[in-house]
Amino acid sequence: MDIPKPLNSTSSQFLQKFTAFIRVRGLSYATEKTYLHWVKRFILFNQYRSMEEISTNDIASFLEHLTLKLDVTVNTQKTALNALVFLCREYLQQDTAQLKFKRSKKPSKLPTVFTHQEATEVINHIPYPFKLATQLMYGSGLRLNEALRLRVEDIDLENSALTVRSGKGDKDRQSLLPRSLHDALKAQIKKVQLLHNEDLRNGFGDVYMPNAIARKYPARSKSLGWQYLFPANKLSIDPRSDRKMRHHVMDRTLQGYVRKALLQTSIVKKAGCHTFRHSFATLLLEAGTDLRNIQELLGHTDIKTTQIYTHVAGVHHSGVISPLDR
């Protein structure tokens, strides 16, 4: 689900050309899917029949429809705006400077966070290797797919660090690697090696690689370092090359294990995989970690995104005591 599909699988010629334009710009596949989603909704909303009918002037009414009729959040409206500005300004070369619309006032909700005890309780109900992936989300602040896309060579046990490749915004970054996970990671890498050796003996062993690296270092697709840290149980067909290879486990699989684990606890919070990342940031902040350092570890472009955790931490961690407790 995180490997770009062939362009000829796109429904219309216009969307094929727009998708090709996105890929030439080097945007991530997640951004590509998001932009295509909002462009399709924009086209259906305005009932366009040809590319020539698409107009920047119609963006405002669509965004206001999202706000007034669908009551979307500020962030959802911003995402739709980014997609449509990219379509009109970058692809269609239209002027978007005078774009005005009614902005959403529905606030973004504060993220749910676990206490350390709650996070540990949920994790202990998850079987390996999914438990290890969840521990990395909590202990390193990884997003779900960042954990699942880790390669063997991204794990640096000597320096107790890990590298996230092509994270959100197609950026690389480094984060903490909990020392308590070193033994489990060594065991997991050993399992990956045994599975990879079996694939090689059976005439397989290739793994998906980004296009530029695949062209420059074609032999690396069979190397141990490029194998996924959490490989799938079965080989599958790469939709672009039609070659049989081993991908990583699916995100919905891990999400299912986390949901089941939550049901086995007494935790009543509305939580999921991303809650572990929120908890990582909040607990670091409560421990006195500098906000800029947390920003770097999370890979946030804007410090304002990281500042939301100052609200989550709350005044009860600043030494303020309720009058009733006096």
Side-chain angles (χ1 to χ4, degrees):
M1 293 178 68
D2 60 351
I3 298 178
K5 296 179 181 179
L7 291 177
N8 57 16
S9 67
T10 309
S11 55
S12 71
Q13 188 176 12
F14 167 74
L15 289 177
Q16 284 187 43
K17 291 180 179 179
F18 180 58
T19 303
F21 182 79
I22 292 174
R23 293 183 183 179
V24 168
R25 288 296 186 93
L27 302 184
S28 70
Y29 187 45
T31 301
E32 175 186 317
K33 290 189 290 186
T34 300
Y35 280 14
L36 286 172
H37 167 79
W38 286 111
V39 166
K40 288 176 184 177
R41 289 185 62 170
F42 180 60
I43 290 172
L44 290 173
F45 176 78
N46 291 288
Q47 298 182 340
Y48 293 135
R49 290 167 295 180
S50 66
M51 183 178 73
E52 289 70 27
E53 294 182 7
I54 298 176
S55 173
T56 299
N57 297 329
D58 295 328
I59 293 179
S61 60
F62 177 69
L63 295 177
E64 290 176 1
H65 165 75
L66 295 180
T67 300
L68 302 176
K69 299 295 184 181
L70 303 184
D71 196 28
V72 301
T73 64
V74 174
N75 288 340
T76 299
Q77 192 188 49
K78 284 182 179 178
T79 302
L81 173 63
N82 291 340
L84 300 180
V85 167
F86 183 85
L87 168 71
C88 293
R89 186 181 65 195
E90 305 298 326
Y91 183 62
L92 299 177
Q93 298 292 301
Q94 297 180 5
D95 182 17
T96 60
Q98 304 304 317
L99 182 61
K100 294 181 180 179
F101 58 95
K102 184 177 180 63
R103 297 186 180 274
S104 175
K105 293 183 179 180
K106 187 176 182 180
S108 299
K109 296 180 180 178
L110 290 178
T112 302
V113 298
F114 292 129
T115 63
H116 176 65
Q117 290 74 19
E118 288 172 336
T120 303
E121 184 181 0
V122 176
I123 288 170
N124 286 337
H125 281 93
I126 301 174
Y128 274 102
F130 305 99
K131 178 178 182 178
L132 180 57
T134 310
Q135 287 172 314
L136 288 172
M137 288 191 292
Y138 176 52
S140 304
L142 305 187
R143 299 177 178 92
L144 169 61
N145 279 310
E146 289 175 346
L148 297 181
R149 292 173 188 165
L150 286 171
R151 315 276 183 150
V152 171
E153 68 175 25
D154 295 333
I155 305 300
D156 185 354
L157 294 172
E158 184 176 349
N159 294 306
S160 211
L162 62 78
T163 302
V164 176
R165 310 283 182 186
S166 300
K168 193 171 183 179
D170 203 28
K171 297 178 297 184
D172 293 355
R173 74 176 192 279
Q174 282 202 323
S175 189
L176 309 172
L177 182 63
R179 294 188 180 277
S180 57
L181 296 182
H182 282 204
D183 289 342
L185 285 166
K186 289 176 184 177
Q188 179 63 17
I189 291 171
K190 184 64 176 178
K191 290 179 181 178
V192 173
Q193 186 173 21
L194 292 172
L195 184 61
H196 182 51
N197 289 341
E198 182 182 343
D199 287 344
L200 290 172
R201 286 195 299 270
N202 293 329
F204 300 109
D206 280 315
V207 70
Y208 166 73
M209 297 174 65
N211 286 335
I213 298 176
R215 288 192 299 268
K216 192 172 182 179
Y217 307 105
R220 287 193 182 180
S221 65
K222 290 183 181 291
S223 68
L224 175 63
W226 270 90
Q227 302 304 306
Y228 287 110
L229 184 63
F230 301 106
N233 289 329
K234 297 180 180 179
L235 297 171
S236 56
I237 301 295
D238 183 333
R240 296 176 306 171
S241 64
D242 287 329
R243 289 191 301 168
K244 204 170 187 178
M245 56 181 63
R246 194 175 295 278
H247 203 50
H248 59 69
V249 297
M250 301 302 293
D251 50 6
R252 59 174 175 263
T253 304
L254 180 52
Q255 287 170 331
Y257 279 112
V258 171
R259 280 196 298 270
K260 289 178 183 177
L262 281 164
L263 292 174
Q264 292 176 284
T265 71
S266 58
I267 299 170
V268 295
K269 296 176 179 177
K270 186 178 180 180
C273 288
H274 211 65
T275 308
F276 292 103
R277 175 174 160 88
H278 292 320
S279 305
F280 167 85
T282 304
L283 292 174
L284 283 184
L285 188 62
E286 291 173 359
T289 307
D290 182 75
L291 198 63
R292 289 287 181 184
N293 289 334
I294 298 175
Q295 178 190 5
E296 290 293 324
L297 293 171
L298 294 176
H300 288 161
T301 301
D302 192 341
I303 190 67
K304 291 180 181 177
T305 308
T306 318
Q307 284 173 341
I308 191 171
Y309 297 109
T310 61
H311 303 292
V312 180
V315 295
H316 55 287
H317 294 290
S318 63
V320 178
I321 300 174
S322 167
L324 189 62
D325 289 336
R326 294 182 185 277

